[in-house]
Amino acid sequence: MSTFREDGAAALEWVANYLETIDEHPVLSQVEPGAIRAALPASPPEAAEPFSAVLRDLDAVLMPGITHWQSPRYFAYFATTGAEPGILAELLIAGLNQVGILWRASPALQELEEVTLDWLRQLLGLPVPLHGHIEDTASSGLITALAAARAAHPDRRVVVCSEHTHSSTVKAARLLELEIRKTPADDAFAIRADELDLDDACAVVATVGTTSSAAVDPVAAIADRAGAEGVWLHVDAAYAGAAAVCPELRHHFAGWERADSIGVNPHKWLFTPMDCSVFFCSRPEALRRAFSLVPEYLRVDEDVVSLSEYASPLGRRFRALKLWATLRCFGREGLQSILREHVRLAALFEEWVAAEPGWELCAPRHFSLVCFRKEGSDEENEEIVRRANSSGEIFLSHSKLDGRFVLRLSIGNARTSEADVALAWEVLRREAAL
């Protein structure tokens, strides 16, 4: 029987080898629906199996069904990185197995989270005081924001957002039985602040870096309107928020310091493994009014407010440990260097598209996302991206802007090089020529 140390060494070796050889895998999984399920036993094992059998089946059964988000040629949705410091921290998190139901249950969990998020606040150039806690995803953060807004304005039932706001806003409103009112966007796909109708609104959601095109809503103008009418302002900066680490990109975030709440996902563009979404709030007392519920069995003598009083989950993982490790092991300079390189590579790809006859850019580029298409029909563009993805060499996703099918190339993996971006352009041109 293997020991924990032997199995642990084998698992670490597996991960190290995977990261070193990730270029050898097709980026997009090539299996058909149901293939992985069919390859797995229908019943649980009767007898214990060694961990080596798990690693064996990981290679033989599961790997064909893995889409490689860690690949430097992953350009779909918003590309991400689970960097090595965070990967190792995940092992420590699992080993410690902390359950942060309240401060007493794990003082280190809560206080490290508070300190780490204040570090992040400083890196992003946000003001003090600002409450911060970690959610699993920005979708949960939106539920938190809208629930607090509803509690603050019980007589208002409308959430105002852009037609390009992420679908998680709609889902959160649906769960909370709130009405969505969408506002038209301008030619750059940003919400038109002059068209905002805040009548009966409890909240307005602005986005810095929309999913379809990374558009930047005019947050300062929206803050003016929201402040004048007492409406909760949530800024969704899940993808682009990391860019504020670079001072030269902070102009895109003008006004977000006036928001009631902000969402930023370190698991998108700050190289922290999934799941780590940061929720900042300038009105923590409003969060407590919406969420604080302390039954007798959780009452304590310590004069401290537990993080469980600021959102719906009671238990929480030690997520701050992986963000803390990532921030320490990269530092401000390391983060800025990679972010700037991603922006440079996106600008370079944008130049190639603009210079190529028969191709067109479809939206302004603010960060590391490029929206483009081949001149022709939607069906032709859909076929181009289908063939490119099926090759296994790259993986891109799409959206629709102005009713047209557009391709999206998102750069966000810390391992992505200029050669990887050049390969993506080569593959797209090759498939378009067929």
Side-chain angles (χ1 to χ4, degrees), residues 188-191 207-210 214-219 251-253 366-367:
F189 310 107
I191 195 171
T207 307
V208 179
T210 60
V216 175
D217 288 340
V219 177
H251 64 278
H252 294 300
F253 302 88
H366 302 297
F367 305 104

CSV table of all heavy atoms in Angstrom, one decimal, residues 188-191 207-210 214-219 251-253 366-367:
chain,number,residue,atom,x,y,z
A,188,ALA,N,-19.9,51.7,-29.3
A,188,ALA,CA,-18.8,50.9,-28.8
A,188,ALA,C,-19.2,49.8,-27.8
A,188,ALA,O,-18.4,49.3,-27.1
A,188,ALA,CB,-17.8,51.9,-28.0
A,189,PHE,N,-20.5,49.6,-27.8
A,189,PHE,CA,-21.2,48.5,-27.0
A,189,PHE,C,-21.1,48.8,-25.5
A,189,PHE,O,-21.3,47.9,-24.7
A,189,PHE,CB,-20.5,47.2,-27.3
A,189,PHE,CG,-20.5,46.9,-28.8
A,189,PHE,CD1,-19.3,46.9,-29.5
A,189,PHE,CD2,-21.6,46.6,-29.5
A,189,PHE,CE1,-19.2,46.7,-30.8
A,189,PHE,CE2,-21.6,46.4,-30.9
A,189,PHE,CZ,-20.4,46.4,-31.5
A,190,ALA,N,-21.0,50.1,-25.1
A,190,ALA,CA,-21.1,50.5,-23.7
A,190,ALA,C,-22.5,51.1,-23.5
A,190,ALA,O,-23.1,51.7,-24.4
A,190,ALA,CB,-20.0,51.6,-23.4
A,191,ILE,N,-22.9,50.9,-22.2
A,191,ILE,CA,-24.3,51.4,-21.9
A,191,ILE,C,-24.4,52.9,-22.1
A,191,ILE,O,-23.4,53.7,-21.8
A,191,ILE,CB,-24.6,51.0,-20.4
A,191,ILE,CG1,-26.1,51.2,-20.1
A,191,ILE,CG2,-23.8,51.8,-19.5
A,191,ILE,CD1,-26.5,50.6,-18.8
A,207,THR,N,-20.6,47.6,-16.2
A,207,THR,CA,-19.5,46.6,-16.5
A,207,THR,C,-18.3,47.3,-17.0
A,207,THR,O,-18.4,48.1,-17.9
A,207,THR,CB,-20.0,45.6,-17.5
A,207,THR,OG1,-21.3,45.0,-17.0
A,207,THR,CG2,-19.0,44.5,-17.7
A,208,VAL,N,-17.2,46.9,-16.5
A,208,VAL,CA,-15.9,47.3,-17.1
A,208,VAL,C,-15.3,46.0,-17.7
A,208,VAL,O,-14.7,45.2,-16.9
A,208,VAL,CB,-14.9,47.9,-16.1
A,208,VAL,CG1,-13.6,48.3,-16.7
A,208,VAL,CG2,-15.6,49.2,-15.4
A,209,GLY,N,-15.4,45.9,-19.0
A,209,GLY,CA,-14.9,44.7,-19.6
A,209,GLY,C,-16.1,43.6,-19.8
A,209,GLY,O,-16.1,42.6,-19.2
A,210,THR,N,-17.0,44.0,-20.7
A,210,THR,CA,-18.2,43.1,-20.9
A,210,THR,C,-17.6,41.8,-21.6
A,210,THR,O,-16.6,41.7,-22.2
A,210,THR,CB,-19.2,43.7,-21.9
A,210,THR,OG1,-18.6,44.0,-23.1
A,210,THR,CG2,-19.8,45.0,-21.3
A,214,ALA,N,-15.5,43.2,-24.2
A,214,ALA,CA,-14.7,43.9,-23.2
A,214,ALA,C,-15.0,45.4,-23.2
A,214,ALA,O,-14.1,46.3,-23.0
A,214,ALA,CB,-13.2,43.7,-23.4
A,215,ALA,N,-16.3,45.8,-23.5
A,215,ALA,CA,-16.7,47.2,-23.5
A,215,ALA,C,-16.6,47.8,-22.1
A,215,ALA,O,-16.7,47.0,-21.1
A,215,ALA,CB,-18.1,47.3,-24.1
A,216,VAL,N,-16.4,49.1,-22.1
A,216,VAL,CA,-16.3,49.8,-20.8
A,216,VAL,C,-17.5,50.7,-20.6
A,216,VAL,O,-17.6,51.7,-21.4
A,216,VAL,CB,-15.0,50.5,-20.7
A,216,VAL,CG1,-14.9,51.4,-19.4
A,216,VAL,CG2,-13.8,49.6,-20.8
A,217,ASP,N,-18.3,50.4,-19.7
A,217,ASP,CA,-19.5,51.3,-19.4
A,217,ASP,C,-18.9,52.6,-18.8
A,217,ASP,O,-17.9,52.6,-18.0
A,217,ASP,CB,-20.5,50.7,-18.5
A,217,ASP,CG,-21.3,49.6,-19.2
A,217,ASP,OD1,-21.3,49.6,-20.4
A,217,ASP,OD2,-21.9,48.7,-18.5
A,218,PRO,N,-19.6,53.8,-19.0
A,218,PRO,CA,-19.2,55.0,-18.4
A,218,PRO,C,-19.6,55.1,-16.9
A,218,PRO,O,-20.6,55.7,-16.5
A,218,PRO,CB,-20.0,56.1,-19.2
A,218,PRO,CG,-21.2,55.3,-19.6
A,218,PRO,CD,-20.8,53.9,-19.9
A,219,VAL,N,-18.7,54.5,-16.1
A,219,VAL,CA,-19.1,54.3,-14.7
A,219,VAL,C,-19.3,55.6,-13.9
A,219,VAL,O,-20.2,55.7,-13.1
A,219,VAL,CB,-18.0,53.4,-14.0
A,219,VAL,CG1,-18.3,53.3,-12.5
A,219,VAL,CG2,-17.9,52.1,-14.6
A,251,HIS,N,-7.5,54.4,-16.3
A,251,HIS,CA,-8.5,55.4,-16.8
A,251,HIS,C,-9.8,54.7,-17.2
A,251,HIS,O,-10.8,55.3,-17.3
A,251,HIS,CB,-7.9,56.2,-18.0
A,251,HIS,CG,-7.6,55.4,-19.2
A,251,HIS,ND1,-6.4,54.7,-19.3
A,251,HIS,CD2,-8.2,55.1,-20.3
A,251,HIS,CE1,-6.3,54.0,-20.5
A,251,HIS,NE2,-7.5,54.3,-21.1
A,252,HIS,N,-9.7,53.4,-17.6
A,252,HIS,CA,-10.9,52.7,-17.9
A,252,HIS,C,-11.8,52.5,-16.7
A,252,HIS,O,-13.0,52.1,-16.9
A,252,HIS,CB,-10.5,51.3,-18.5
A,252,HIS,CG,-9.7,51.3,-19.8
A,252,HIS,ND1,-10.3,51.9,-20.9
A,252,HIS,CD2,-8.5,50.9,-20.1
A,252,HIS,CE1,-9.4,51.7,-21.9
A,252,HIS,NE2,-8.3,51.1,-21.4
A,253,PHE,N,-11.3,52.6,-15.5
A,253,PHE,CA,-12.0,52.4,-14.3
A,253,PHE,C,-12.5,53.6,-13.6
A,253,PHE,O,-12.9,53.6,-12.5
A,253,PHE,CB,-11.2,51.5,-13.4
A,253,PHE,CG,-10.7,50.2,-14.0
A,253,PHE,CD1,-9.5,50.1,-14.7
A,253,PHE,CD2,-11.5,49.1,-13.9
A,253,PHE,CE1,-9.1,49.0,-15.3
A,253,PHE,CE2,-11.1,47.9,-14.4
A,253,PHE,CZ,-9.9,47.8,-15.2
A,366,HIS,N,-9.9,47.4,-25.6
A,366,HIS,CA,-9.4,48.1,-24.4
A,366,HIS,C,-8.4,47.3,-23.6
A,366,HIS,O,-7.6,47.9,-22.9
A,366,HIS,CB,-10.6,48.4,-23.5
A,366,HIS,CG,-11.7,49.2,-24.2
A,366,HIS,ND1,-11.5,50.5,-24.6
A,366,HIS,CD2,-13.0,48.9,-24.5
A,366,HIS,CE1,-12.6,50.9,-25.2
A,366,HIS,NE2,-13.5,50.0,-25.1
A,367,PHE,N,-8.5,46.0,-23.6
A,367,PHE,CA,-7.6,45.2,-22.8
A,367,PHE,C,-6.9,44.1,-23.6
A,367,PHE,O,-6.2,44.4,-24.5
A,367,PHE,CB,-8.4,44.6,-21.6
A,367,PHE,CG,-9.1,45.6,-20.8
A,367,PHE,CD1,-10.5,45.8,-20.9
A,367,PHE,CD2,-8.5,46.4,-19.9
A,367,PHE,CE1,-11.2,46.8,-20.2
A,367,PHE,CE2,-9.1,47.4,-19.2
A,367,PHE,CZ,-10.5,47.6,-19.3
